[in-house]
Amino acid sequence: MNLILLEPALSLSEGRYALTERQQSHINQVIKAESGEVLRVGLLGGDLGEGVYQAANADVPAHIHSLQLTQKPPKALPMVLVMALPRPNMLKRTLHNITAMGVKELYLIHSSKVEKSYWQSPVLQPDSIQKILLEGLEQAKDTVMPSITMVPRFRPFVEDQLPHLLSGKLGLLAHPYQASACPVDLQESCVLALGPEGGWNEFEVSKWLEAGMSSVHLGERILKVETVVPVLLSRLYPA
Amino acid sequence: MNLILLEPALSLSEGRYALTERQQSHINQVIKAESGEVLRVGLLGGDLGEGVYQAANADVPAHIHSLQLTQKPPKALPMVLVMALPRPNMLKRTLHNITAMGVKELYLIHSSKVEKSYWQSPVLQPDSIQKILLEGLEQAKDTVMPSITMVPRFRPFVEDQLPHLLSGKLGLLAHPYQASACPVDLQESCVLALGPEGGWNEFEVSKWLEAGMSSVHLGERILKVETVVPVLLSRLYPA
């Protein structure tokens, strides 16, 4: 947690913001701050800066007051990421990384090689996702929540929604066959579609290509999905 | 496991190679291959290609025979990675990723912010490291083991060994202060030094700079060590 991310929903009177239990225990156990100490804070959806910590007492819950928010959050990546739903053991880390690296628009999509059971993962419960995304923002000192859309049906998405998403953007399909090398330091915005372990099947590839996406590969090495995400984002948009 | 990596130490007569228990159970449970099936194999330290699977019987252990190794392993990254020893819960994934991405020369070094106890991690036991590196190679379809050197004392390394490592290479210190942006698509080989969570301390930074390294940063976002590794390698050497 490199930032205490204050939630507008927890605002008290006079520009004070109550702390969540998770933040409170971080402040107690890791930062070991006492009342009056200045901490690095951000307002969810807003700016970054400093605020003064006040421990709970008989009158008020633990909170931050006297905010000085003078800094904009870091730039978002100019892209839409469409990703086959990863297996549960990679999902949490992948969502964390996607958020920390600055993706703001993510679609998790079904594919023939995604096991149906993956959609039942407890990681996908709203409270769980919310927590992972907050931690990703706190890691990267960002304040802007990404939007995540679940797409349990492949075809209507690719046929009906994708053309709108692609408007004004380059469409890149991570797929190692009949592909050119993935661009480096892209100067325009893109929609990037990343397949499941084992890749998209033939039908899926044809649908992506029909919609106007181009296949790109990453070289000879096969990497785990959780590794491919930072590799691809960093290659497309080195900060 | 995208490759069965045969070990020269397990060679039988007539160009046959016995399988390890781990490979045997992968073949049984994941690939579900039967005797006579052609599998994708590589020879540790050698080339890649195909070989024929033979299950164990009264005369021989399970093995691969009739190897056709016609393909070179993927290119190595032209770099030396020097990394502050990560905390144990990140160490395994980080070693896996480093191996899968093609680093062949890794130094794990002590730093003031590395807790002494990290050096006692069971992950650092030779058998454990060997297994992680093999899995990294199998993931990326590589055959060439990286060398890993443990450096429990910072100063003698930076003063005595580093100058030799830096000969003919660019020295890059991942350090966000007084730094220029980390290069993208580097056309020369480098030594990259990556700090612990919390960064190198002042003394350490001064020693790295004295030795001829230059500070580079990755932008405003702070990422976990396990994420920074693929981000940096991909940015320096997009495949």
Side-chain angles (χ1 to χ4, degrees), chain A residues 2 74-75 93 96-97 100-102 139-142 218 220-224 226-227 231 234-235 238-239, chain B residues 2 74-75 93 96-97 100-102 139-142 218 220-224 226-227 231 234-235 238-239:
Chain A
N2 295 307
K75 272 196 298 186
R93 279 196 297 277
H96 177 102
N97 283 341
M101 292 190 72
Q139 170 67 41
K141 295 197 204 167
D142 193 353
L218 271 181
E220 294 173 89
R221 295 177 181 277
I222 302 178
L223 301 173
K224 285 187 194 177
E226 64 180 85
T227 315
V231 161
S234 161
R235 172 179 180 127
Chain B
N2 295 307
K75 271 196 299 184
R93 280 197 297 278
H96 177 101
N97 284 341
M101 292 191 70
Q139 169 67 42
K141 296 199 205 165
D142 193 354
L218 271 181
E220 294 174 88
R221 294 176 181 277
I222 302 178
L223 301 172
K224 285 188 194 178
E226 64 181 84
T227 315
V231 162
S234 161
R235 174 181 178 124

Side-chain angles (χ1 to χ4, degrees), chain B residues 30-161:
Chain B
V30 183
I31 307 183
K32 299 185 170 118
E34 293 182 14
S35 291
E37 228 167 282
V38 174
L39 301 180
R40 181 152 188 88
V41 302
L43 187 59
L44 194 60
D47 289 345
L48 304 164
E50 297 178 336
V52 180
Y53 171 61
Q54 172 62 55
N57 62 35
D59 301 321
V60 286
H63 65 274
I64 301 285
H65 63 87
S66 310
L67 271 67
Q68 301 276 350
L69 303 181
T70 55
Q71 201 190 332
K72 297 279 161 213
K75 271 196 299 184
L77 294 184
M79 69 180 299
V80 175
L81 179 59
V82 185
M83 194 171 171
L85 181 66
R87 61 169 67 233
N89 67 347
M90 297 201 177
L91 183 56
K92 193 174 163 185
R93 280 197 297 278
T94 301
L95 289 176
H96 177 101
N97 284 341
I98 286 169
T99 308
M101 292 191 70
V103 172
K104 297 302 176 195
E105 203 174 344
L106 171 67
Y107 293 79
L108 291 173
I109 191 170
H110 192 65
S111 147
S112 71
K113 287 181 194 145
V114 169
E115 287 180 29
K116 287 265 166 54
S117 65
Y118 294 178
W119 290 100
Q120 309 309 321
S121 164
V123 176
L124 290 178
Q125 291 300 311
D127 283 357
S128 153
I129 289 200
Q130 174 84 359
K131 180 164 176 282
I132 297 167
L133 303 189
L134 280 174
E135 289 172 353
L137 294 178
E138 289 164 347
Q139 169 67 42
K141 296 199 205 165
D142 193 354
T143 64
V144 182
M145 271 289 200
S147 75
I148 301 194
T149 309
M150 308 290 166
V151 184
R153 291 180 62 217
F154 178 84
R155 192 162 175 169
F157 175 84
V158 179
E159 290 181 350
D160 305 333
Q161 277 191 271

Side-chain angles (χ1 to χ4, degrees), chain A residues 9-24:
Chain A
L10 299 180
S11 82
L12 308 170
S13 58
E14 299 163 12
R16 299 172 305 169
Y17 290 86
L19 294 162
T20 63
E21 259 179 58
R22 202 169 53 83
Q23 292 170 334
Q24 181 63 75

Side-chain angles (χ1 to χ4, degrees), chain A residues 4-68:
Chain A
I4 310 286
L5 201 46
L6 305 170
E7 305 193 18
L10 299 180
S11 82
L12 308 170
S13 58
E14 299 163 12
R16 299 172 305 169
Y17 290 86
L19 294 162
T20 63
E21 259 179 58
R22 202 169 53 83
Q23 292 170 334
Q24 181 63 75
S25 61
H26 181 78
I27 289 172
N28 290 342
Q29 288 159 31
V30 183
I31 308 182
K32 297 181 173 127
E34 294 181 13
S35 291
E37 228 167 282
V38 173
L39 301 181
R40 181 154 187 87
V41 302
L43 188 58
L44 194 61
D47 289 345
L48 305 163
E50 297 177 338
V52 179
Y53 171 62
Q54 172 63 54
N57 61 37
D59 301 320
V60 287
H63 65 273
I64 301 285
H65 63 86
S66 310
L67 271 67
Q68 301 276 350

Side-chain angles (χ1 to χ4, degrees), chain A residues 46-225:
Chain A
D47 289 345
L48 305 163
E50 297 177 338
V52 179
Y53 171 62
Q54 172 63 54
N57 61 37
D59 301 320
V60 287
H63 65 273
I64 301 285
H65 63 86
S66 310
L67 271 67
Q68 301 276 350
L69 303 182
T70 55
Q71 201 189 332
K72 296 279 160 211
K75 272 196 298 186
L77 294 184
M79 68 180 297
V80 175
L81 179 58
V82 184
M83 194 172 170
L85 182 65
R87 62 168 66 234
N89 66 349
M90 296 200 177
L91 183 56
K92 194 175 162 183
R93 279 196 297 277
T94 301
L95 289 176
H96 177 102
N97 283 341
I98 286 169
T99 307
M101 292 190 72
V103 172
K104 297 301 176 196
E105 203 174 345
L106 172 66
Y107 293 80
L108 291 173
I109 191 169
H110 192 65
S111 148
S112 72
K113 288 181 193 145
V114 169
E115 288 180 26
K116 287 264 166 55
S117 66
Y118 295 179
W119 290 100
Q120 309 309 322
S121 163
V123 175
L124 289 179
Q125 292 300 310
D127 284 359
S128 151
I129 289 200
Q130 174 85 0
K131 180 164 176 282
I132 296 166
L133 303 189
L134 279 174
E135 288 172 355
L137 294 179
E138 289 165 347
Q139 170 67 41
K141 295 197 204 167
D142 193 353
T143 64
V144 183
M145 271 289 199
S147 75
I148 301 195
T149 308
M150 308 292 166
V151 184
R153 292 180 62 216
F154 178 85
R155 192 161 172 172
F157 175 83
V158 178
E159 289 182 352
D160 305 332
Q161 277 191 271
L162 182 60
H164 301 287
L165 290 177
L166 272 173
S167 163
K169 295 195 185 71
L170 187 64
L172 300 174
L173 178 70
H175 180 65
Y177 308 105
Q178 289 154 8
S180 45
C182 178
V184 175
D185 202 357
L186 194 59
Q187 298 299 315
E188 57 187 311
S189 54
C190 78
V191 175
L192 172 67
L194 192 55
E197 287 174 84
W200 306 105
N201 74 14
E202 252 177 69
F203 169 78
E204 290 163 348
V205 169
S206 72
K207 296 305 284 182
W208 288 115
L209 298 180
E210 261 172 41
M213 311 273 284
S214 313
S215 308
V216 295
H217 70 76
L218 271 181
E220 294 173 89
R221 295 177 181 277
I222 302 178
L223 301 173
K224 285 187 194 177
V225 167

